[in-house]
Amino acid sequence: MILADTHLVIAMIRRTDPDRAAQALVLAERHAAAGEPLVVAECVLAECAWVLRSRYGMAGCDVARVLREALSTPALVAWDPKVAETALDVMEADPALDVTDCILAAMSARRGTDVATMDRRLLRLLEGGDVTT
């Protein structure tokens, strides 16, 4: 398993620097061709969402869309595809939620575990049962 870092994923998504984007794509495609796609860990997914929102001013629903597109390529896979898909669905449905809350809600739904939180918005989401895997 080879883990992708945030810089690589952002370069593949944003493509604002053509040279960096090309390098990132070549690296990722080389690993995919060898049958070893790069794995996007939950911390990288969270950091990518934060960078796309804070640095590039993207809306939460757009962040969810571009991250979902990136994870649907043969070059990148999520550490847990179902959790990542659910987290991005939650983010798209409620863009005001922080990506970490979306990941926690998805992990809770997928694994049947509780989340201890004092965040009212996350609590409403968890209690509402609106998270499905």
Side-chain angles (χ1 to χ4, degrees):
M1 172 173 32
I2 300 172
L3 298 170
D5 84 329
T6 303
H7 293 279
L8 182 126
V9 177
I10 295 294
M12 290 175 68
I13 290 171
R14 291 291 302 171
R15 300 182 186 183
T16 51
D17 179 339
D19 291 335
R20 254 177 100 84
Q23 289 173 343
L25 289 168
V26 166
L27 176 66
E29 288 169 357
R30 184 173 60 229
H31 286 288
E36 213 172 280
L38 302 176
V39 177
V40 178
E42 63 227 23
C43 58
V44 171
L45 184 70
E47 189 176 27
C48 285
W50 182 83
V51 167
L52 291 169
R53 278 185 165 182
S54 65
R55 177 144 189 220
Y56 297 106
M58 292 178 71
C61 56
D62 293 330
V63 169
R65 180 184 50 76
V66 298
L67 288 173
R68 185 178 289 110
E69 287 172 7
L71 292 173
S72 69
T73 67
L76 296 175
V77 296
W79 78 102
D80 183 327
K82 283 288 195 187
V83 168
E85 178 182 340
T86 301
L88 294 173
D89 287 346
V90 170
M91 182 189 298
E92 196 166 36
D94 187 350
L97 279 171
D98 181 84
V99 65
T100 304
D101 293 337
C102 297
I103 292 170
L104 284 172
M107 291 172 85
S108 174
R110 174 107 170 108
R111 298 181 182 142
T113 58
D114 291 331
V115 176
T117 183
M118 295 173 65
D119 182 322
R120 289 186 182 131
R121 183 179 297 256
L122 177 58
L123 215 78
R124 280 193 302 273
L125 174 67
L126 295 168
E127 289 173 350
D130 297 331
V131 182
T132 57
T133 58

